[in-house]
Amino acid sequence: ILMGVGMPGLPYVFKSAGWIGGFCVTVGFCLVTWRTSYYLGRELNGDPRPVHLFDSELPGNTITRMRKPITSFPAIAREAFGDSGCICLSAVLYFELFSCLSIFFVSLGDHLHALYPSVSQSKHMTIVAGILILPSALLRTPKLLSYLSTVGTFATVAVVSSVVLSALVVFFTVGDGGTEREYNLYRSNGLPLAAGIVAYCFSGHAIVPSIYQSMKKPQEFERMIDLTYGVVLLSCLLVAVSGYYMFGDDVQDQITLSLEEESEGAGILMTALTWLMILTAISKFTLTMFPLALGFEEMLTGVLPSDLAMELLDSVVKIVLIFSSLAVAIFFPSFSFLCSLVGLICTMIVSVIFPALAHLKLFGTSLSYLDKTIDWLLVVGGSAIAIVGTIATLK
């Protein structure tokens, strides 16, 4: 989840903010979301102390929790802020899912246009939308399509490997003389866009409760988070630094597009990588659309008279989602712009502000002064970045 469709945009982060700005934004946001992942695990466990302390297999362990354990993301919101808080959080999550559909369309259009430049990006997106209608309307569950999610995992490994190996080839080819590309050390005016793109890359907190609940030993949750974020941060920096080194300020907002352009039709592997990105976007589009459509259907379940009406509604909702997200993608056909807006608006709320605010609300009476200060810094700082960054990006 953390290394998904947003990863190819990381070299563009360094283009926007420069070497120093890009590095600081990437590492800084990784550390912040690393900490808030801890918060979510502890909120699910019902205690502000590290989850490994509650290992029932330890002899003589009689430690008790402050509160009862929680099982889901909406349940955390309901426990901390009541039903109104749960509704607000659900609205943000649904908006994020819908926005992701548009981002997948843009990514599809960009990569298909790179392969077939005689056809416009918007026409490619429209064709894909038409192709997606039939399977989306007929299938009631994403079970058959979920097997395509393995393509996403393979594509992520392929992207990291291709970018790093290509950068090494460039380095050993040109030597110490450089790549004759233009670079920037620091750009303050590109920080808002860079922050949003990086935030989008770390927008996996909504599924943290599902991972926590599925673990055989939940007491090892924080160790798993440490390992995960270590691997993710290393991969993100490798892609960002390697991509920006190769293309400098000429890098496109998806590194795979720059690699395909440089191959000039001679790189069969790069063409295969581009097709992998296309298949990944299609699979993620379908899998993202199903829970979003299900949410709308649940609102109308009690109104519909029969199962047939429910099935018709399911098809209609999915078709409406396809064409409405297509309209947004055609109107805003910029991958970096959409990723940045989703990151600044949705990810800041879901992955930074909400976990810290819930941590304060649920455990405030037992937190140290330092913990409370850090929580408030995350809430206030995340809110400021979201507001200022969104305004700056829109300008």
Side-chain angles (χ1 to χ4, degrees), residues 76-86 354 357-359 361:
I76 296 174
R78 186 176 289 108
E79 187 75 16
F81 308 110
D83 290 337
S84 58
C86 182
F354 170 76
L357 205 55
H359 191 250
K361 181 69 173 178

Side-chain angles (χ1 to χ4, degrees), residues 194-214:
I197 296 173
V198 172
Y200 180 72
C201 291
F202 288 91
S203 59
H205 280 51
I207 63 149
V208 165
S210 300
I211 296 173
Y212 181 88
Q213 295 297 329
S214 66

Side-chain angles (χ1 to χ4, degrees), residues 294-315:
L294 185 61
F296 286 112
E297 291 166 26
E298 288 176 349
M299 298 177 188
L300 301 171
T301 301
V303 180
L304 299 174
S306 64
D307 291 340
L308 177 60
M310 192 67 193
E311 290 179 6
L312 289 174
L313 176 68
D314 175 73
S315 299

Side-chain angles (χ1 to χ4, degrees), residues 189-248:
N189 60 350
L191 285 175
L193 182 68
I197 296 173
V198 172
Y200 180 72
C201 291
F202 288 91
S203 59
H205 280 51
I207 63 149
V208 165
S210 300
I211 296 173
Y212 181 88
Q213 295 297 329
S214 66
M215 291 182 68
K216 187 176 181 181
K217 295 182 178 180
Q219 64 271 17
E220 295 182 358
F221 172 79
E222 291 179 6
R223 296 172 195 165
M224 179 272 294
I225 289 294
D226 290 341
L227 177 61
T228 300
Y229 269 87
V231 172
V232 168
L233 178 59
L234 177 62
S235 300
C236 286
L237 289 176
L238 283 173
V239 171
V241 172
S242 299
Y244 190 52
Y245 167 74
M246 280 189 290
F247 299 103

Side-chain angles (χ1 to χ4, degrees), residues 59-106:
N61 191 352
T62 58
I63 190 170
T64 56
R65 294 175 174 85
M66 279 185 57
R67 310 174 68 98
K68 64 179 181 180
I70 303 173
T71 58
S72 67
F73 211 76
I76 296 174
R78 186 176 289 108
E79 187 75 16
F81 308 110
D83 290 337
S84 58
C86 182
I87 293 172
C88 290
L89 182 68
S90 297
V92 173
L93 289 173
Y94 284 139
F95 177 75
E96 182 178 31
L97 288 174
F98 177 79
S99 302
C100 286
L101 296 182
S102 299
I103 290 172
F104 297 146
F105 263 131
V106 173

Side-chain angles (χ1 to χ4, degrees), residues 7-58:
M7 176 171 276
L10 287 173
Y12 196 78
V13 169
F14 278 59
K15 172 187 175 178
S16 302
W19 285 112
I20 296 176
F23 179 83
C24 291
V25 168
T26 304
V27 175
F29 203 83
C30 177
L31 294 177
V32 167
T33 52
W34 195 332
R35 183 177 181 87
T36 54
S37 295
Y38 275 18
Y39 285 173
L40 288 177
R42 295 174 187 183
E43 288 157 13
L44 292 165
N45 188 49
D47 197 279
R49 290 167 288 186
V51 295
H52 71 266
L53 297 177
F54 297 85
D55 190 348
S56 58
E57 296 180 2
L58 292 176

